[in-house]
Amino acid sequence: SSVGTGDSSSDFWHVLAVFFPAVTGILSGVGMSGDLKNPSRSLPLGTIAAVLVGWGVYMAVPVGLHCFVSDRSALMNDPMIMQRCARIPWLIAAGVWAASLSSALGSLLAAPRTLQALAQDRAVPSIIGRGYGATNDPRLASLLGMSLAAVGIWFGNINVIAPVLTRFNLTAYALLNL
C-alpha cells in the first residue's frame, strides 16, 4: 500500500519519509555540540526533547486537521491542506520557507564542524581540521563542504545525489542512535 491512494495504511518507508524531516535538525545540534557548556548533559536532554516535540507536532497536526476537514481524500492527497485550512494562509508558506532555510543554515554550520572534529580524530587529513580565530572557525572544512556542494550542483539533477545524501544521513542517524 502507499500514501495517497485512499488506503488507510502506509508502509514503513512512506511513514519514515514523512517523519524524517522532523528530526533532521537534531543532527545540527549534535554537530554544534562542541560549542555547548556541558555537551554530555545537554545533548541527550536536547535530543530527546527535540524528538518528543517533533513527534507531538507530527501527531497533533493530522488530528487537528481531521477535526476541520471532512473530506478524507483531501487530507491524504493535498500536500498544502494545512495552508487551505489556516486563518492566515501565507503564514504556512512562510513557515515552510523558514524551516527550509533553517535546515540549510544548520547544515552549513554543522558540516564544517563535523569535518573539523573528524580531522582532529585523524579520520580525515588533519589539515582540514585547522581552525582560525578566537572561535576556531573551520574555514578549510567550510571550503571543502562548499566544493562538494558545487560538484553536486554541477550534476544538475538533485535526483542524482539525493539517494546518496539520504544514505549518508540515515547512516549518521543510525550511528548516533546506536
Side-chain angles (χ1 to χ4, degrees):
S1 69
S2 66
V3 174
T5 61
D7 188 358
S8 63
S9 64
S10 298
D11 70 11
F12 172 79
W13 297 109
H14 285 109
V15 175
L16 178 68
V18 171
F19 184 69
F20 186 71
V23 295
T24 55
I26 295 167
L27 189 59
S28 296
V30 172
M32 300 300 290
S33 64
D35 297 335
L36 296 173
K37 184 188 277 186
N38 185 0
S40 63
R41 176 169 162 63
S42 300
L43 278 176
L45 291 176
T47 302
I48 291 169
V51 169
L52 291 176
V53 168
W55 179 83
V57 169
Y58 267 64
M59 294 299 112
V61 167
V63 170
L65 284 175
H66 185 61
C67 294
F68 294 107
V69 179
S70 60
D71 182 12
R72 186 169 181 222
S73 66
L75 288 174
M76 296 185 73
N77 297 320
D78 187 356
M80 295 304 288
I81 189 71
M82 193 170 205
Q83 186 174 19
R84 295 185 211 320
C85 294
R87 287 188 183 174
I88 307 173
W90 66 268
L91 284 178
I92 301 299
V96 169
W97 181 82
S100 299
L101 183 61
S102 170
S103 292
L105 288 174
S107 295
L108 285 172
L109 293 172
R113 294 276 184 194
T114 304
L115 271 173
Q116 186 179 41
L118 287 169
Q120 290 169 349
D121 290 343
R122 300 178 192 260
V124 296
S126 61
I127 188 72
I128 296 171
R130 183 167 179 217
Y132 296 88
T135 56
N136 199 27
D137 293 331
R139 292 181 191 168
L140 294 175
S142 296
L143 183 61
L144 178 62
M146 184 181 71
S147 300
L148 289 172
V151 168
I153 292 169
W154 181 70
F155 278 119
N157 185 354
I158 192 69
N159 292 330
V160 172
I161 60 172
V164 175
L165 294 176
T166 301
R167 285 185 196 107
F168 278 124
N169 278 318
L170 288 174
T171 302
Y173 292 128
L175 291 173
L176 285 172
N177 287 318
L178 179 65

